[in-house]
Amino acid sequence: MSGTAARRRPVIAIDGPAASGKSTAGKALADRLGYLYIDTGALYRAVGWLASQAGITPENPEGLADLMAKTPITLAGDASDRKVLVGGRDVSGEIRTEEIGHLASAFSALPQVREALLGIQRRLGAGGGVVMDGRDIGTVIFPDAEVKIFLSASDRERSRRRWRELSDRGERSDPEEVRRELGRRDSRDRNRPHAPLRTAPDAVSIDSTGLSPEQVLERILAVVEARA
Ligand code: DC
């Protein structure tokens, strides 16, 4: 790039399994850098919500594709108060349940769904200056992202975090069932044929087990400084 050309601010991709700390780290990082933060899981959760409202199952991908073509899914507000709108209706709270997370994972395996959400995600990050978290940001959505992080944590730690998150929201749950559900979700997200959860070859892996949110942020900032 020539010295005078304006350099695009980086795209920072944070991928990893459920409850690995992506959204906590992503929000803090975006806040520190003054970047836009996009939680792409919210888009898949919105699709899960839409399908459940319409009574559509993953066995009817064409029906879902038709419905998605007619129903805009948009993000509004800012990182501190992000709104997810489906056909203009604010579903930000409703999509955060375990049930919708499960549906999001099931529907996210459909190529029709991934295709429909690809353009939305690329448009959101097109200008750079964005921290985007998900499962395939560094591999499929922005394979040229300047910074790629793969965030993980032990199964035990992730189950504990997810259980605490649910309890904080007043959702009663059995810790064993939370652990089993995370296992099912991991397996589905890693083994689907389309855009499975994978570590991009040029991603930096960070294991957040035993690290505080501040320590995770410091490690990611060190990668950003080195790469961006
Ligand atoms: O990050 P989350 O738990 O809110 O995501 C819910 C589901 O959405 C997840 O189990 C798989 C899917 N997802 C995906 O396939 N690709 C993404 N970039 C983000 C989420």
Side-chain angles (χ1 to χ4, degrees), residues 206 208 210-221:
I206 297 177
S208 70
L211 298 182
S212 67
E214 294 72 28
Q215 288 171 318
V216 174
L217 176 61
E218 289 313 318
R219 294 206 184 179
I220 298 179
L221 279 168

Side-chain angles (χ1 to χ4, degrees), residues 66-167:
D66 283 351
L67 184 59
M68 284 180 74
K70 288 187 281 201
T71 318
I73 294 178
T74 46
L75 299 180
D78 58 22
S80 62
D81 187 25
R82 173 68 74 215
K83 300 273 181 247
V84 183
L85 307 178
V86 178
R89 173 168 165 183
D90 181 358
V91 298
S92 318
E94 287 167 74
I95 61 170
R96 290 294 156 198
T97 63
E98 273 297 85
E99 190 201 341
I100 295 292
H102 177 79
L103 286 173
S105 173
F107 283 103
S108 71
L110 301 175
Q112 290 89 342
V113 168
R114 305 211 72 84
E115 189 56 38
L117 295 184
L118 181 100
I120 299 179
Q121 293 169 88
R122 289 209 175 135
R123 275 194 297 281
L124 286 166
V130 65
V131 178
M132 197 171 274
D133 87 38
R135 304 293 189 286
D136 62 340
I137 309 305
T139 51
V140 175
I141 307 297
F142 285 107
D144 297 330
E146 288 80 354
V147 180
K148 298 182 188 178
I149 304 289
F150 192 88
L151 195 59
S152 63
S154 70
D155 294 355
R156 196 188 159 92
E157 172 103 3
R158 292 189 297 118
S159 308
R160 205 174 50 79
R161 287 180 192 165
R162 179 50 52 90
W163 181 83
R164 213 173 37 209
E165 227 177 84
L166 292 170
S167 307

